[in-house]
Amino acid sequence: MALLSGGKLIAPPIFYHSHTPRAPFFFRRRHFTFSALSDQPPLPVRVRFAPSPTGNLHVGGARTALFNYLFARSKGGKFVLRIEDTDLERSTRESEEAMLKDLSWLGLYWDEGPGVGGDYGPYRQSERNSLYKQYAENLHQSGHVYRCFCSNEELEKMKEDAKQKQLPPMYTGKWASATKSEVEEELSKGTPYTYRFRVPKGSLKINDLIRGEVSWNLDTLGDFVIMRSNGQPVYNFCVTVDDATMAISHVIRAEEHLPNTLRQALIYKALGFPMPYFAHVSLILAPDRSKLSKRHGATSVGQFREMGYLPVAMVNYLALLGWGDGTENEFFTLDQLVEKFTIERVNKSGAIFDSTKLRWMNGQHLRARPSEELTKLIGEFWKTSGLLTVSAGPFIDEAVQLLKDGIDLTNDADKALANLLSYPLHSTLQSHETESVLQDNLSEFAAALLAAYDSGDLIAALEEGLAGWQKWVKSFGKSLKRKGKSLFMPLRLLLTGKLHGPDMGASVVLLCKAGTSDVVAPEAGFVKLDERFKMLRKINWETLSRDQPVKETTAPV
């Protein structure tokens, strides 16, 4: 029979259970087995993401939120955000606000929750205590829970006894069958008590949408606490009451919550609520296959945002951690993911977080942006960082086109431009890689280049742009009877101070333009062309060629 929750009709899964003939509840444990079948009746899809605001949004949490979002959107359902802040000592509003900011940055906007509202609020657990107490009292009245007056010392002794017998730590049920007079006596003394759930005998089975059939033996569980002695509800009780009263149809969460499902399913049954469908997503693993943690580098969404990652790239990469559409395609927008996503294609096995691939994917998304948008983004970044005095103009247009292939993150743009503007000639001359260039009559080559600069031919050619440069290079190479590598390697070395980099002609033309305008900030470390030629004049090529100190190898840009 369908049940009403939050004013809406929900079709429950089918439960099978078998138990012994009915007996007074307080004196006899029920023995039953029940399971939820995987055939899903049509029902309004409502999913939730329920983070604890005790730190930053981890990429694992972000992926869980993403899968919930995609499932809801693909089914025409609702995506609910609930804040599980019952850990009053560790939960902070600052952490909550940071999480909301990260989710919004990713584009995972919620239909109900903080800042949005909805018919099933409040959406913070700290504001729902009266509801938990109401349902705990209902369970007490029905006999599903009982008062437990055991002290901490008694509970510790139970653990020790179980440990010595090599059994799992389990409550022995001391107060499970207490008489009314025994309970009244402790209440009259003011003895603190917890509410414990009376676990039946038998087994429990669910059909997880990702993992298939999962079963538990209830005999090793022991009666568990749902309300602490200070009146605060326990996590598993809060979650069950919240999911039930918020009409959550599908619980999609990390596999580390799978053990919680056992207790939650029992509470669902006792309260008479339909159990949602469960789907437990595998963990995100580090390259060494351990659980991804801070020791492996950046792990929070906020960190990746600050490093210059794009939200579309983060969403794309997180979706591929344990899911694929069955094709070779690796690039998706959020809308495309909504169209393609199915829970059946989520893998059981753990997914490896590869920061190198994430960076590569970000670069692909960055360069796929419209040219005007990319230029605006990087130009503003250069001005904000203090490298340039302007954020738009011909210099920026050409610089972005020249350097974009070496920029995977917006934060890389500074390094790429600073490298272009720099002139590390002396350190490059001392590298092992330069030795072959030095031995190819570099001193004579440098003299010819200085002569071309002094005559004004080189600068005149550069001022004509790339076509002027290409014409000059051809003529210059012909005069030296050089071409190919023997022409371009020494030219790159002497003009840029490096052996590797983006297109040399475009680079030198851009350097010429930068030297005749105020576009580059004084703090950028820019070495203009005339300063470069001054440095070339001071080099003693004869000494350098005869006794070159070999110290390092230049790294390609």
Side-chain angles (χ1 to χ4, degrees):
M1 177 179 177
L3 299 180
L4 279 172
S5 179
K8 295 189 178 181
L9 194 66
I10 298 180
I14 302 170
F15 294 96
Y16 283 106
H17 58 88
S18 60
H19 53 79
T20 53
R22 192 173 182 85
F25 192 89
F26 286 99
F27 300 102
R28 188 164 188 170
R29 298 268 180 177
R30 293 171 300 166
H31 187 285
F32 68 95
T33 299
F34 71 89
S35 65
L37 296 183
S38 59
D39 293 334
Q40 299 182 50
L43 76 169
V45 168
R46 290 177 56 81
V47 299
R48 49 66 165 186
F49 176 56
S52 298
T54 57
N56 298 318
L57 179 62
H58 189 273
V59 291
R63 186 191 59 169
T64 299
L66 174 61
F67 283 0
N68 275 280
Y69 176 91
L70 295 177
F71 185 79
R73 293 288 177 267
S74 67
K75 299 291 185 182
K78 299 292 185 181
F79 174 52
V80 180
L81 178 63
R82 184 175 72 228
I83 305 299
E84 298 189 341
D85 57 350
T86 51
D87 188 342
L88 300 178
E89 293 182 0
R90 297 175 60 220
S91 297
T92 65
R93 189 53 63 94
E94 292 77 18
S95 179
E96 178 186 321
E97 289 173 356
M99 285 186 169
L100 301 187
K101 179 180 177 182
D102 288 342
L103 288 171
S104 298
W105 179 73
L106 291 170
L108 307 182
Y109 298 105
W110 49 100
D111 301 301
E112 299 174 25
V116 176
D119 297 334
Y120 296 83
Y123 293 92
R124 293 184 183 89
Q125 284 187 337
S126 58
E127 300 169 5
R128 297 171 64 84
N129 274 333
S130 60
L131 193 66
Y132 306 137
K133 290 176 181 177
Q134 172 194 330
Y135 280 101
E137 192 54 41
N138 289 350
L139 290 177
H140 180 242
Q141 292 296 325
S142 65
H144 286 94
V145 304
Y146 58 88
R147 293 186 178 97
C148 171
F149 297 91
C150 287
S151 65
N152 289 334
E153 291 74 19
E154 288 178 290
L155 295 174
E156 283 300 320
K157 189 174 186 310
M158 290 180 196
K159 287 183 182 178
E160 283 298 320
D161 291 345
K163 186 177 180 181
Q164 290 178 7
K165 296 175 183 177
Q166 296 184 331
L167 296 173
M170 190 172 72
Y171 180 67
T172 59
K174 177 179 177 181
W175 286 91
S177 56
T179 63
K180 185 176 181 180
S181 61
E182 288 173 325
V183 172
E184 291 295 337
E185 182 181 351
E186 295 300 323
L187 290 174
S188 66
K189 292 191 292 185
T191 306
Y193 63 87
T194 60
Y195 272 151
R196 282 190 182 274
F197 187 91
R198 198 184 300 271
V199 177
K201 300 293 182 183
S203 62
L204 179 148
K205 179 172 65 176
I206 67 164
N207 282 319
D208 190 283
L209 297 178
I210 295 174
R211 302 183 175 277
E213 183 179 297
V214 182
S215 61
W216 294 270
N217 183 351
L218 302 179
D219 297 341
T220 59
L221 179 58
D223 296 348
F224 56 89
V225 174
I226 65 162
M227 294 286 282
R228 300 182 181 90
S229 57
N230 62 1
Q232 287 297 311
V234 169
Y235 169 79
N236 280 306
F237 185 59
C238 294
V239 169
T240 308
V241 171
D242 289 341
D243 286 343
T245 57
M246 289 183 177
I248 300 302
S249 63
H250 296 75
V251 174
I252 304 171
R253 58 187 179 186
E255 67 174 328
E256 58 193 352
H257 286 286
L258 191 56
N260 294 327
T261 306
L262 169 57
R263 291 170 174 81
Q264 292 168 19
L266 292 172
I267 296 171
Y268 272 112
K269 181 66 177 172
L271 287 173
F273 281 112
M275 193 163 71
Y277 298 99
F278 291 99
H280 289 91
V281 183
S282 62
L283 295 178
I284 295 179
L285 306 176
D288 62 1
R289 302 202 69 81
S290 63
K291 186 178 178 182
L292 187 68
S293 65
K294 292 179 181 178
R295 66 187 177 89
H296 299 108
T299 58
S300 73
V301 171
Q303 285 175 299
F304 286 106
R305 184 180 68 248
E306 291 170 4
M307 289 164 64
Y309 282 86
L310 300 172
V312 64
M314 284 298 301
V315 164
N316 189 167
Y317 184 69
L318 289 175
L320 297 181
L321 291 178
W323 174 87
D325 70 343
T327 71
E328 296 297 317
N329 186 26
E330 289 188 300
F331 294 94
F332 302 92
T333 63
L334 187 56
D335 288 342
Q336 289 168 338
L337 286 169
V338 169
E339 182 183 341
K340 298 284 186 180
F341 184 82
T342 60
I343 199 72
E344 290 79 15
R345 293 205 63 85
V346 176
N347 299 327
K348 295 181 192 176
S349 55
I352 303 294
F353 191 89
D354 185 344
S355 56
T356 301
K357 182 165 184 179
L358 170 59
R359 183 186 181 91
W360 169 80
M361 181 168 282
N362 194 84
Q364 299 298 314
H365 278 285
L366 185 66
R367 288 183 286 277
R369 287 188 162 199
S371 181
E372 299 81 6
E373 187 180 324
L374 178 62
T375 301
K376 185 174 184 291
L377 177 70
I378 295 179
E380 289 176 351
F381 187 82
W382 279 335
K383 186 175 187 296
T384 302
S385 66
L387 277 180
L388 300 183
T389 58
V390 296
S391 61
F395 176 85
I396 290 174
D397 294 343
E398 293 179 36
V400 170
Q401 287 304 307
L402 174 65
L403 302 174
K404 66 180 182 179
D405 287 344
I407 299 174
D408 286 331
L409 306 175
T410 51
N411 290 13
D412 292 345
D414 266 8
K415 184 178 178 182
L417 182 58
N419 184 69
L420 176 73
L421 298 173
S422 69
Y423 189 59
L425 178 65
H426 289 291
S427 60
T428 306
L429 286 172
Q430 295 180 43
S431 71
H432 176 77
E433 213 174 343
T434 311
E435 188 171 355
S436 61
V437 183
L438 274 169
Q439 292 174 356
D440 189 18
N441 293 320
L442 186 59
S443 59
E444 292 180 10
F445 192 100
L449 184 61
L450 281 165
Y453 173 77
D454 293 340
S455 69
D457 291 346
L458 174 58
I459 296 302
L462 291 173
E463 288 174 349
E464 291 180 25
L466 199 55
W469 159 263
Q470 291 169 344
K471 183 179 178 182
W472 177 85
V473 165
K474 186 176 180 180
S475 174
F476 184 68
K478 195 179 235 185
S479 68
L480 296 180
K481 296 180 180 179
R482 288 179 179 242
K483 60 182 179 179
K485 187 175 180 181
S486 68
L487 172 63
F488 290 104
M489 283 296 281
L491 263 181
R492 181 182 288 278
L493 172 63
L494 298 177
L495 290 175
T496 71
K498 312 168 197 78
L499 292 174
H500 309 280
D503 181 80
M504 180 174 54
S507 297
V508 180
V509 168
L510 200 59
L511 291 171
C512 182
K513 287 183 179 179
T516 57
S517 67
D518 296 326
V519 67
V520 180
E523 300 81 16
F526 175 37
V527 181
K528 297 182 179 181
L529 284 180
D530 60 343
E531 294 169 340
R532 299 184 184 207
F533 280 99
K534 286 178 184 177
M535 292 172 64
L536 283 174
R537 293 184 199 281
K538 295 179 181 179
I539 294 177
N540 187 330
W541 296 103
E542 185 179 346
T543 304
L544 187 66
S545 299
R546 187 178 64 245
D547 188 25
Q548 179 205 359
V550 178
K551 294 184 178 179
E552 56 189 321
T553 299
T554 57
V557 178

